Amino acid sequence: MTALKGKTALVTGSTSGIGLGIARKLAGQGADLMLNGFGDAAYIAELREGLAKEFGVRVAHSGADMSKAAEIEAMVAATEAEFGRLDVLVNNAGIQHVSPVDEFPVERWDAVIAINLSAVFHSTRAALPGMKARNWGRIINISSAHGVVGSANKSAYVAAKHGVIGLTKVVALETAETAITCNAICPGWVLTPLVQKQIDALAASKGLSNEEAGRELLSEKQPSKTFVTPEQLGDLAVFLCSDGGANMRGASLLMDGGWTAQ
Ligand code: NAD
């Protein structure tokens, strides 16, 4: 699979979960990778070496904090310095906080908006000039089913994910006459550390086992009653990078097990 050979992909929040799943699929198409996200040095070294060996691509890592504009700019610059280009930008890093609005800690609101929404602006702003100069690019923003519908107690997350869809549309319009596209992917429940925390909270509050809490979480929202997988989301990202995806612009692509069809 060599569709992305010679291209470079930067996937934010790719040391875990969905970002890692997408990074693996892009590497599977031959893309060199700039990983980003938290993790101790030994884990990140192992991840880099493992991906490089498995897919025969070059792999670097930036520890940039997605809540800090200057670090995001430096990460994009480091990608272009290391690989000479940045062709595919996947804005994936995200956090969650669950609390009613009137009890929502202001500091958590600011952090969720910074990492889940403002970071998408900062990385896009920094990556676009290079993409325009090379007249090719793919910007893929990971929104959520919560970019389309709300859920109680997730005000900051839902606001940020709706915002990502709006920003995606504007970037798509501003690049509509170029070979740069910008789209959003909107997953339903995916079993990652971000969701495991919510399963743990449900299990603790209702005295359920891990499996029972997982089933209850799914049955509340997701008609398929199965988790979407990082691999399935990675396949969709690969499609958006292909020639077949060249005229998808400003779309919000739901992969949510039927969540928002209800
Ligand atoms: P995860 O917790 O498994 O991974 C999050 C990644 O982001 C990690 O690599 C972490 O190190 C990184 N990260 C967190 N804060 C960061 C920061 N300040 N700076 C840099 N990196 C940071 O989460 P996930 O479930 O894989 O979520 C990935 C994205 O998918 C998020 O945007 C999330 O909102 C979205 N999403 C997840 C689900 C789901 O069910 N898991 C559903 C819809 C959307």
Side-chain angles (χ1 to χ4, degrees):
M1 303 281 211
T2 56
L4 294 174
K5 186 114 197 108
K7 296 213 176 336
T8 297
L10 163 59
V11 185
T12 71
S14 48
T15 53
S16 166
I18 294 170
L20 181 54
I22 292 175
R24 289 180 54 80
K25 288 286 181 172
L26 297 177
Q29 296 295 321
D32 292 323
L33 293 177
M34 176 62 93
L35 302 173
N36 158 258
F38 300 138
D40 67 35
Y43 169 71
I44 286 166
E46 194 183 316
L47 196 59
R48 284 179 61 183
E49 281 159 31
L51 288 166
K53 198 163 165 210
E54 184 175 352
F55 298 108
V57 299
R58 290 197 288 150
V59 185
H61 171 263
S62 160
D65 182 339
M66 291 301 104
S67 67
K68 302 203 165 79
E71 293 190 23
I72 296 169
E73 270 179 55
M75 173 184 70
V76 170
T79 307
E80 291 178 330
E82 174 85 20
F83 298 103
R85 54 195 305 127
L86 168 50
D87 307 289
V88 178
L89 169 64
V90 183
N91 288 305
N92 166 78
I95 59 168
Q96 175 64 283
H97 185 81
V98 181
S99 173
V101 172
D102 52 350
E103 293 167 20
F104 212 93
V106 171
E107 169 276 323
R108 285 290 86 199
W109 171 275
D110 288 344
V112 172
I113 298 296
I115 295 163
N116 295 19
L117 176 57
S118 300
V120 182
F121 161 69
H122 292 303
S123 59
T124 302
R125 178 171 66 82
L128 268 177
M131 289 181 177
K132 284 182 180 167
R134 290 181 296 274
N135 194 28
W136 198 90
R138 294 289 188 264
I139 301 172
I140 301 171
N141 297 328
I142 306 305
S143 176
S144 169
H146 283 124
V148 180
V149 296
S151 289
N153 302 325
K154 295 187 175 174
S155 54
Y157 189 87
V158 169
K161 294 300 186 183
H162 275 67
V164 166
I165 287 180
L167 177 57
T168 299
K169 290 175 181 170
V170 173
V171 174
L173 292 174
E174 292 182 7
T175 54
E177 294 182 36
T178 73
I180 302 163
T181 70
C182 180
N183 293 285
I185 294 179
C186 303
W189 291 123
V190 185
L191 189 53
T192 66
L194 181 143
V195 164
Q196 186 59 49
K197 277 187 212 154
Q198 296 172 63
I199 293 174
D200 292 345
L202 191 62
S205 74
K206 295 200 171 171
L208 302 173
S209 70
N210 183 57
E211 285 70 28
E212 288 165 339
R215 270 200 299 278
E216 179 156 334
L217 187 94
L218 282 170
S219 64
E220 198 191 323
K221 299 278 186 189
Q222 196 147 302
S224 67
K225 296 194 173 60
T226 58
F227 288 101
V228 177
T229 68
E231 291 72 26
Q232 290 164 342
L233 294 162
D235 285 337
L236 183 53
V238 166
F239 173 74
L240 287 172
C241 293
S242 72
D243 290 342
N247 237 333
M248 298 198 69
R249 297 178 184 273
S252 306
L253 301 167
L254 291 151
M255 190 185 281
D256 65 0
W259 180 327
T260 57
Q262 298 168 99

